[in-house]
Amino acid sequence: MDDSVQARNGRTRARHGLAQVRDGVRAYRLISGMWIRSLMAYRLSFAMTAFGNFAVTAFDFAAILLMFSQVDRLGGYSLSEIALLYGATCTSFGIADLALGSMDRLGKRVRDGTLDTLLVRPAPVIAQVAADRFGLHRLGRLVQGAFVLGYALVVLDIGWTPVKILMVPLMVLCGAGIFAAVFVAGAAFQFAARDAAEVQNAFTYGGTTLLQFPPTVFAKDLVRGATYILPLAFVNWIPALYVLGRPYPLDLPTWTAFAPPLVAAVLLALAGLAWRTGLRSYRSTGS
Amino acid sequence: MEPDLIAGPDLIELDGVEKVFDVRKKTGFLRREKHEVRAVDGISFTVPRGEMVGYIGPNGAGKSTTIKMLTGILTPSGGRLRVAGIDPSRERTRLARRIGVVFGQRTTLWWDLPLIDSYRLMHRMYRIPDARYKENLDRCVELLELAELLDVPVRQLSLGQRMRGDIAAALLHDPEVLYLDEPTIGLDVISKAKVRGFLRDLNAESGTTVLLTTHDLTDIEQLCKRVMVIDHGRLMYDGPLAGLHEAGESERTLVVDLERELPPLEVESARVVKVEGPRQWLAFPAAESAAPLVARVAERYPMVDLSVREPDIEAVIAKMYADKSTS
């Protein structure tokens, strides 16, 4: 194949990929929009579930507050410092959960065969799965996280520099990207796990492994999947410690605080690859 | 916009299409045995534009696998497959705009939302021009009697209502071909008649090509001139329905209730296969009309009541196999 043909193929593929992304975003918007409209038909019910979501997640932070009524410091950290860590994590998770929280139903769709109905529509499957039953009430969790984060930013007594100020939204967005990657990878895994029992095994064994780590006060969300903990420890902790001006664990160099966008991009790319592999295997086995 | 039209009059083309699954069986704690299942084993056929074809066969014969390959859900393991000039597995989303799919066993509608929400979403997702959408929706609502159901959440619809809703959803974007996988399964007699009537009119008026799989030979009788029989992944028969009966030498059954118990009746071109008190079962060739037989029986015997039973697909196919192995 000569170079110009190859280049043209490359361009066609790139254009095709771009068109797919556009179609995906459009389908996501259409489907989630439909769910939001249907949710808004019952405003009171929506307000109640969203508030419930807010209240339940707020209990986590209430537990931390309770602990701080007995002690001044927890693992050497003050309440406002822990609030920054907690708030950033919760907000990140809240964004990813709001956007992609429905993806964990993929396994059910594979088992009952309803995934096939998504494959005959003119839109990328991942967008349809992610937007299905779009749960706006999940805003409750996000709002709760954002409150705590806001509180931390107000009460924290640190020397703010422009870089530190920029670091906060960057940290939250990259954290959301990493959680999103975990959601997608988790869904992709459900293509491979042939029956529910195996999925369950993965979670129970995975859960056991998780519990071997020392329980941290804000771990409740993290417990939702063993996989969350490693990338997050790397990405949320380190930029937060940079903001707080605290020493890094394991003597990591300062620049690692700026690695989150890279880590998020790599993890998202890997998750996308896992999704494609999973979908391709589904389309060749049909199970 | 339609360069594929020059591809020829055949809308669907299959040439030696295969689908092989690797099935793993647990044989021990960790040990697994792998073996191949040839779900579709070298199938070739073409369907011209505007035809309505029945695709039948027993459970596990490969019907659904074929439909899944034709819609791009599954990637074939071998052979060549084209629908409207498009390779379904490679350009699934492009093909999706040109085909309609109805799965009898599962809905393509959004389960928890009112029917109309699904339609509105299809309108946008398939980029159907407003006027076209309105026209198609109005026609479907009228012919499929959906007006009362539009605001009802899909999960509250009866099976027959849901099926009609699904058929409408598959037709809003003017598909060139409509695949129906068991469209009448589980429906009552009236719902079946409604669905069949609608499909017949659709094919006659819009010229939509229809490929339907079914268990119910009556569907085929009332809708399709052409029928394809698949079993063990191979095409056993492709031709008119009448020919299928000949090929399988299938028989219909005349059940007669007599005034009293009698010895087995003696009537030409029919034989008694079962006697139970005053009721007798007479088998006669499916290709023949029942009327002369009924006349002959009534002439000679005191008949009270009668009914005619159609052969089922399983029996026809079993017969085809038996003939094949003896010849």
Side-chain angles (χ1 to χ4, degrees), chain B residues 66-319:
Chain B
T66 313
I67 297 267
K68 284 183 186 176
M69 287 192 284
L70 285 168
T71 48
I73 295 171
L74 283 180
T75 318
S77 320
R80 187 175 178 278
L81 202 160
R82 290 288 181 278
V83 175
I86 296 174
D87 181 347
S89 68
R90 299 193 66 165
E91 294 189 83
R92 179 176 55 78
T93 46
R94 188 157 87 95
L95 180 70
R97 291 180 199 287
R98 303 177 60 171
I99 61 172
V101 189
V102 176
F103 297 104
Q105 318 255 32
R106 50 188 90 110
T107 182
T108 54
L109 305 165
W110 277 265
W111 193 245
D112 294 304
L113 300 178
L115 195 51
I116 189 72
D117 282 9
S118 286
Y119 295 157
R120 284 189 186 128
L121 189 58
M122 302 275 180
H123 175 198
R124 306 286 306 281
M125 192 187 271
Y126 283 84
R127 299 175 198 268
I128 309 166
D130 292 349
R132 196 84 207 123
Y133 166 75
K134 194 175 176 312
E135 194 180 310
N136 287 345
L137 182 64
D138 288 349
R139 196 188 57 204
C140 285
V141 165
E142 189 199 327
L143 297 176
L144 290 165
E145 296 167 32
L146 295 172
E148 311 275 289
L149 308 175
L150 288 176
D151 295 317
V152 180
V154 174
R155 68 184 131 78
Q156 290 174 14
L157 299 178
S158 74
L159 193 58
Q161 293 170 334
R162 203 217 77 204
M163 181 60 65
R164 284 183 275 139
D166 255 312
I167 292 175
L171 291 170
L172 294 176
H173 59 288
D174 287 315
E176 290 160 64
V177 53
L178 177 66
Y179 302 107
L180 301 146
D181 196 4
E182 302 281 1
T184 58
I185 197 162
L187 301 193
D188 60 59
V189 182
I190 298 168
S191 298
K192 275 186 186 183
K194 274 184 194 165
V195 166
R196 285 175 192 147
F198 177 81
L199 292 176
R200 201 181 307 119
D201 294 347
L202 171 81
N203 177 252
E205 284 161 25
S206 318
T208 309
T209 311
V210 180
L211 183 72
L212 69 98
T213 77
T214 183
H215 264 80
D216 190 341
L217 263 188
T218 323
D219 285 346
I220 309 278
E221 263 159 18
Q222 300 196 353
L223 295 174
C224 309
K225 292 193 184 77
R226 176 180 169 197
V227 58
M228 290 188 281
V229 181
I230 180 176
D231 196 22
H232 292 93
R234 287 170 191 268
L235 209 55
M236 304 286 297
Y237 176 84
D238 184 354
L241 182 66
L244 174 65
H245 286 307
E246 275 161 36
E249 289 176 359
S250 72
E251 291 176 321
R252 289 196 284 171
T253 311
L254 177 69
V255 185
V256 290
D257 287 338
L258 303 164
E259 268 173 16
R260 57 185 184 280
E261 291 185 31
L262 285 173
L265 309 184
E266 281 172 34
V267 205
E268 50 191 294
S269 77
R271 61 198 165 79
V272 175
V273 288
K274 193 173 160 193
V275 180
E276 216 180 81
R279 179 173 286 189
Q280 300 204 4
W281 281 259
L282 286 87
F284 65 100
E288 274 177 33
S289 163
L293 178 63
V294 172
R296 281 197 292 273
V297 175
E299 204 172 89
R300 268 182 269 172
Y301 301 98
M303 191 165 66
V304 182
D305 199 4
L306 68 91
S307 66
V308 176
R309 297 204 181 147
E310 298 297 325
D312 59 1
I313 291 169
E314 274 74 9
V316 173
I317 292 167
K319 200 95 197 256

Side-chain angles (χ1 to χ4, degrees), chain A residues 141-221:
Chain A
R141 177 196 295 279
L142 205 167
V143 168
Q144 190 265 146
F147 268 170
V148 177
L149 182 62
Y151 161 78
L153 295 179
V154 171
V155 297
L156 265 178
D157 185 19
I158 46 175
W160 287 102
T161 65
V163 180
K164 282 187 178 182
I165 292 170
L166 266 178
M167 187 61 97
V168 175
L170 183 77
M171 172 170 86
V172 169
L173 281 181
C174 293
I178 286 157
F179 277 127
V182 172
F183 273 113
V184 172
F189 168 74
Q190 296 184 23
F191 279 120
R194 291 198 170 235
D195 49 52
E198 278 172 277
V199 178
Q200 192 143 32
N201 280 348
F203 278 101
T204 45
Y205 291 126
T208 323
T209 319
L210 176 75
L211 293 177
Q212 288 165 357
F213 290 92
T216 48
V217 277
F218 42 90
K220 202 167 171 198
D221 279 337

Side-chain angles (χ1 to χ4, degrees), chain A residues 26 119 121 133 283-284, chain B residues 19 72 75 89 108 112 124:
Chain A
R26 183 170 179 273
L119 277 154
R121 294 197 193 121
R133 291 166 180 273
R283 292 177 64 199
S284 70
Chain B
K19 183 68 205 176
T75 318
S89 68
T108 54
D112 294 304
R124 306 286 306 281

Side-chain angles (χ1 to χ4, degrees), chain B residues 18-70:
Chain B
E18 289 176 12
K19 183 68 205 176
V20 182
F21 294 118
D22 279 340
V23 178
R24 286 192 184 84
K25 255 195 197 150
K26 262 192 185 161
T27 51
F29 176 59
L30 283 172
R31 217 171 321 144
R32 280 168 173 208
E33 226 161 62
K34 213 170 106 172
H35 66 106
E36 274 190 355
V37 174
R38 305 187 75 82
V40 170
D41 193 5
I43 283 189
S44 306
F45 65 78
T46 57
V47 178
R49 224 165 251 283
E51 200 169 54
M52 196 154 177
V53 186
Y55 195 56
I56 62 176
N59 282 331
K63 292 182 305 242
S64 293
T65 305
T66 313
I67 297 267
K68 284 183 186 176
M69 287 192 284
L70 285 168

